[in-house]
């Protein structure tokens, strides 16, 4: 039965593996094709048994640098495709009920689709969470480091915990030892906030 779009009041879209080309057409690498992420990893150099282990939560917890080295291209800036913009048009026309997508790139939202209309069972790279304190970060907050394969860390200051760095003092001469000191200063040390520095994990589903 042929569906006439203009006769449909609302549409429920599914955006699963057979339509992953929508993101690939934007320049985002896929995972399992001949030119995808998995087939271009040097698993011996990374120290993993198979390529899929890069997206294992156990591997991430043991050494998050493995994930960030391999997934650096995913944190670059990509433009939505015409298909993503078409979904936005459906919403503007009042015809979009929901879109379900396993893609983690967030291009539906980048095209202007409301977050309330998007269901991402595999999560999204749009945000990341500190594995220590739970602070949330945006993709923009971690992209610079993630794009170069560096593990991004949490910058939240620790509450009521500061490190005190005392300045180097020279030994006073005996000539000045007996001279009366001026008013007592509150503290000559320099207080530096200690940050959480927890590993930031993208809010995607790891295996």
């Amino acid at each position: 039965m042929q569906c006439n779009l203009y006769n449909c009041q609302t549409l429920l879209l599914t955006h699963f593996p057979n339509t992953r080309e929508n993101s690939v057409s934007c320049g985002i690498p896929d995972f399992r094709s001949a030119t995808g992420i998995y087939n271009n990893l040097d698993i011996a150099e990374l120290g993993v048994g198979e390529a899929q282990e890069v997206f294992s939560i156990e591997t991430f917890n043991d050494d998050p640098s493995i994930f960030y080295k391999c997934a650096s291209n995913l944190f670059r800036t990509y433009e939505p495709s015409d298909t993503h913009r078409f979904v936005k048009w459906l919403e503007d026309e009042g015809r979009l009920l929901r879109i379900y997508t396993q893609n983690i790139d967030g291009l539906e939202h980048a095209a202007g689709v409301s977050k309330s209309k998007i269901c991402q069972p595999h999560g999204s790279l749009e945000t990341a969470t500190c594995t220590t304190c739970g602070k949330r970060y945006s993709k923009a907050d971690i992209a610079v480091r993630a794009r170069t394969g560096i593990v991004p860390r949490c910058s939240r200051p620790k509450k009521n915990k500061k490190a005190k760095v005392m300045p180097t003092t020279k030994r006073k001469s005996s000539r000045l030892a007996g001279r009366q000191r001026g008013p007592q200063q509150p503290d000559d040390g320099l207080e530096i906030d200690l940050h959480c520095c927890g590993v930031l994990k993208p809010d995607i589903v790891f295996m």
Side-chain angles (χ1 to χ4, degrees):
M1 178 173 130
Q2 186 175 6
C3 175
N4 187 332
L5 178 63
Y6 289 95
N7 291 333
C8 297
Q9 293 184 350
T10 58
L11 293 174
L12 182 68
L13 301 182
T14 57
H15 187 191
F16 283 114
N18 59 329
T19 55
R20 66 179 180 272
E21 288 81 7
N22 292 332
S23 294
V24 174
S25 67
C26 301
I28 300 175
D30 66 1
F31 289 90
R32 294 177 174 83
S33 70
T35 58
I37 293 176
Y38 287 157
N39 286 319
N40 287 278
L41 295 179
D42 188 337
I43 60 176
E45 181 181 346
L46 292 171
V48 296
E50 56 183 10
Q52 286 82 354
E53 289 183 24
V54 170
F55 287 85
S56 161
I57 190 60
E58 288 81 9
T59 301
F60 186 88
N61 289 337
D62 289 341
D63 186 358
S65 67
I66 294 176
F67 167 80
Y68 281 107
K69 287 176 184 176
C70 300
S72 58
N73 284 336
L74 298 178
F75 290 92
R76 300 186 184 279
T77 301
Y78 298 96
E79 292 296 323
S81 67
D82 289 340
T83 303
H84 296 111
R85 287 187 279 269
F86 171 69
V87 177
K88 168 59 177 171
W89 177 82
L90 288 175
E91 182 184 11
D92 292 342
E93 292 293 310
R95 298 173 184 268
L96 181 65
L97 177 63
R98 192 90 70 246
I99 176 170
Y100 291 84
T101 174
Q102 74 165 8
N103 291 339
I104 60 176
D105 48 56
L107 287 181
E108 292 82 13
H109 184 236
V113 180
S114 301
K115 285 190 175 182
S116 61
K117 297 287 186 179
I118 305 170
C119 181
Q120 297 170 290
H122 287 188
S124 171
L125 291 171
E126 290 184 286
T127 58
T129 302
C130 175
T131 56
T132 299
C133 71
K135 181 179 178 180
R136 297 288 295 277
Y137 289 82
S138 69
K139 181 180 178 180
D141 292 330
I142 71 171
V144 173
R145 296 181 67 83
R147 271 184 289 219
T148 57
I150 300 174
V151 178
R153 299 273 179 174
C154 181
S155 60
R156 169 180 279 178
K158 289 186 177 181
K159 292 182 179 179
N160 302 323
K161 290 186 179 180
K162 294 185 177 182
K164 185 177 293 185
V165 180
M166 298 303 295
T168 303
T169 57
K170 296 182 179 180
R171 185 178 179 181
K172 294 181 180 180
S173 66
S174 58
R175 182 173 58 86
L176 299 176
R179 181 175 297 181
Q180 186 177 1
R181 298 182 61 184
Q184 183 70 29
Q185 297 298 319
D187 197 336
D188 293 328
L190 176 63
E191 289 189 338
I192 302 176
D193 286 330
L194 293 177
H195 295 92
C196 172
C197 293
V199 173
L200 301 186
K201 174 189 168 294
D203 293 329
I204 61 175
V205 177
F206 282 73
M207 296 184 294

